[in-house]
Every structure is written in structure tokens, then in C-alpha cells.
Amino acid sequence: MGKIKLNKILICISGLVLFSCNNVDNSKIEQSISDVKDSQEVLLKKINSLEKAVNNLAIANKNQPSNNNKKQPPKADPNKVYNIPIGDSYSKGPSDAAVTIIEWSDFQWPHCARAVSLMDDLLKKYPNDLRIVVKQFPLSFHKQAKKASLYALAAERQGKYKEMSDKIFENYRSLKSNEDLPRQYAEELGLDMVKFDNDMKDPALEARIDKEMNQMKQSGIPRMSVPKFLINGKEPQGGRSLEAFSAAIDAELKAKKKK
């Protein structure tokens, strides 16, 4: 189609040249016609090259796998139960609660910081039926997150995990410029600083972080991300909201009553 249009244009140009040159020397007219024909041949060659390039591109695109064939990330199975031991991980709420939420968290991740109020609201709503267990999962690209976890675990040894955790999350953006801010929080919380500093050096704390991370990595949970929640071993569906989590907790409580 492009060749036909171009040929018509070139013919029109040729006619215009002939028409405009009717009072000019015949040799000049013949030269003009020859020049037009030469230009036409050059243009046609360029069109042929372009057409070949377009065809090759179309063939290449046709052979590319469609987006529909791309491997999709695995989806959470709402009925799959992951048996994660609580161990010595920090927990809040009655130890015999009917429902246990396990949360893996990273002190430098804003989504984890936002989850603090959600967990607090759930504990207020289900004071007798809910236990929340927090496990550490500092992401490798958050350079200060692991040390923040160590600070929180050191504070836990003096009964101040929650208080330290809340302070770190409230100021998590500041960790990047000063990873030792939590030590200041420890002083503000009135902790025994000699014990605190010694606990920070205890390799058992780092070993605990590694253990808690490996619990998720080796669990078979399809997507490694934080915050990661399990409600009685199941991944909650429907987003991270008070309503969605309450619905999951209510379903677990209802199932417990039937047994």
C-alpha cells in the first residue's frame, strides 16, 4: 500500500515537473525527469528496507511468549496451616488464647510500622482470646534493621520489648542516619545500661534472629515478605485491616466453639 501511494506521488511530481518546464529546454526537461526517476528508485529501496525491518520485528514479536504465559507468583492457600513453633519469641496476650497471630517484622519497613496499631487494636478487641507472637525478619537491604532487632531483644530481657519496639517504629526513618538511636531509648526507658550493653553483645540474640527468619524461610510459605501474618497458622485473606483480621479471628473462634 505504501509503495502505491508513493508511486502516485512521484508520478504527480513528474507531471508537475513536466508541466512547469514546458517552456524550458528539452534537455533540461529530460534531466529533470531522470533526476525524479533516480530519486524514486532511491526511495523505493529505502521503503523495501523498512518493510523488511518491520516484517522481521513482527515475526520476532510473534515468537515472544505472551504475558499470559509468564510465571505468576504463587498465591497463598487460605486453608493451608503452617505449624510454626512459638519458641522463645516475644508474645503478648494470654498464652492459652484460642487464636494466635504470628507476625514476622522488620524495623525499617513502613508496612511493619503501620501494622503496630493494627495489632494493638486487635488485642484491645480480643483481650481474652488473642495472643500475638512477634518474630524478627530484618530484610537484607535494610542495613540498620538487624541491629534494631538486637536492641529490641536486649530490651526484652528487661521486660521492655513492646516499649522499645514502639519507639523504634515511631522513628524508624532516623535509623538510617543513626543506627544506635535505640540505645538512647533504652536510657529513656530506665533500663540497666550495663546489662543492656552486655546483652547486645550476646551472640544468643543474633542466633535467635536467624532462627526466627529460618522459621519462615523453611515453612513452605509461598511468598517471603514482611509483615507476614499467620492466624492460627493460616495466611489471612482480604488485606491488612481491622475488619479483615477480625473476620478471620471470629471464624477461628467459631470453629473452636464447634469442637
Side-chain angles (χ1 to χ4, degrees):
M1 190 69 180
K3 285 183 181 179
I4 295 171
K5 287 184 177 179
L6 184 61
N7 286 334
K8 286 182 177 179
I9 292 168
L10 291 172
I11 291 168
C12 290
I13 292 171
S14 301
L16 286 171
V17 171
L18 289 171
F19 179 78
S20 62
C21 297
N22 56 5
N23 294 320
V24 184
D25 191 296
N26 283 341
S27 62
K28 290 184 179 179
I29 293 174
E30 289 174 359
Q31 183 61 47
S32 297
I33 294 172
S34 177
D35 290 343
V36 169
K37 286 181 178 180
D38 290 342
S39 298
Q40 182 179 359
E41 287 180 5
V42 171
L43 286 170
L44 288 174
K45 285 179 181 179
K46 287 184 178 180
I47 289 171
N48 285 334
S49 286
L50 287 171
E51 283 183 343
K52 285 180 182 179
V54 170
N55 288 335
N56 290 336
L57 183 60
I59 292 169
N61 288 336
K62 188 176 180 180
N63 292 331
Q64 287 290 328
S66 67
N67 289 333
N68 295 331
N69 295 328
K70 285 184 179 178
K71 188 176 180 181
Q72 298 297 318
K75 293 183 179 179
D77 181 352
N79 299 312
K80 172 74 174 176
V81 177
Y82 300 95
N83 295 311
I84 307 296
I86 292 171
D88 54 359
S89 298
Y90 169 79
S91 69
K92 187 174 182 181
S95 58
D96 60 347
V99 179
T100 296
I101 292 179
I102 291 179
E103 175 192 5
W104 280 274
S105 189
D106 172 306
F107 277 112
Q108 278 189 283
W109 200 231
H111 303 295
C112 296
R114 285 196 288 270
V116 172
S117 59
L118 172 60
M119 295 297 103
D120 288 345
D121 290 343
L122 287 170
L123 281 170
K124 288 176 186 175
K125 187 174 181 179
Y126 302 95
N128 301 314
D129 297 313
L130 180 62
R131 181 186 190 186
I132 293 176
V133 177
V134 180
K135 293 181 180 288
Q136 309 301 309
F137 202 101
L139 298 166
S140 60
F141 52 86
H142 288 154
K143 303 304 181 184
Q144 294 77 36
K146 190 166 188 176
K147 193 165 188 181
S149 287
L150 290 171
Y151 274 119
L153 296 182
E156 183 189 8
R157 289 187 171 180
Q158 298 187 50
K160 295 291 184 179
Y161 178 91
K162 174 64 176 169
E163 292 81 355
M164 176 64 82
S165 174
D166 285 353
K167 280 183 171 290
I168 295 173
F169 273 128
E170 286 168 9
N171 303 283
Y172 72 91
R173 291 184 181 87
S174 300
L175 290 174
K176 191 173 267 190
S177 57
N178 184 2
E179 67 177 8
D180 292 313
L181 265 179
R183 193 180 185 283
Q184 176 185 319
Y185 305 150
E187 292 177 337
E188 293 171 4
L189 291 170
L191 301 186
D192 179 337
M193 296 308 295
V194 174
K195 175 175 170 49
F196 185 78
D197 289 338
N198 286 333
D199 286 337
M200 281 293 293
K201 300 171 188 174
D202 187 348
L205 294 187
E206 188 164 352
R208 178 171 150 190
I209 294 170
D210 293 339
K211 181 178 74 173
E212 291 179 348
M213 292 179 71
N214 286 330
Q215 284 176 336
M216 188 189 349
K217 290 176 181 178
Q218 298 168 6
S219 66
I221 294 172
R223 187 166 175 265
M224 299 289 103
S225 62
V226 288
K228 174 68 67 178
F229 297 97
L230 297 178
I231 299 179
N232 276 0
K234 301 174 186 175
E235 283 202 70
Q237 309 297 304
R240 301 187 194 113
S241 67
L242 183 63
E243 294 75 19
F245 274 57
S246 295
I249 292 169
D250 290 340
E252 290 297 317
L253 292 173
K254 187 176 181 181
K256 291 277 184 183
K257 286 180 180 178
K258 286 183 178 179
K259 294 179 180 179

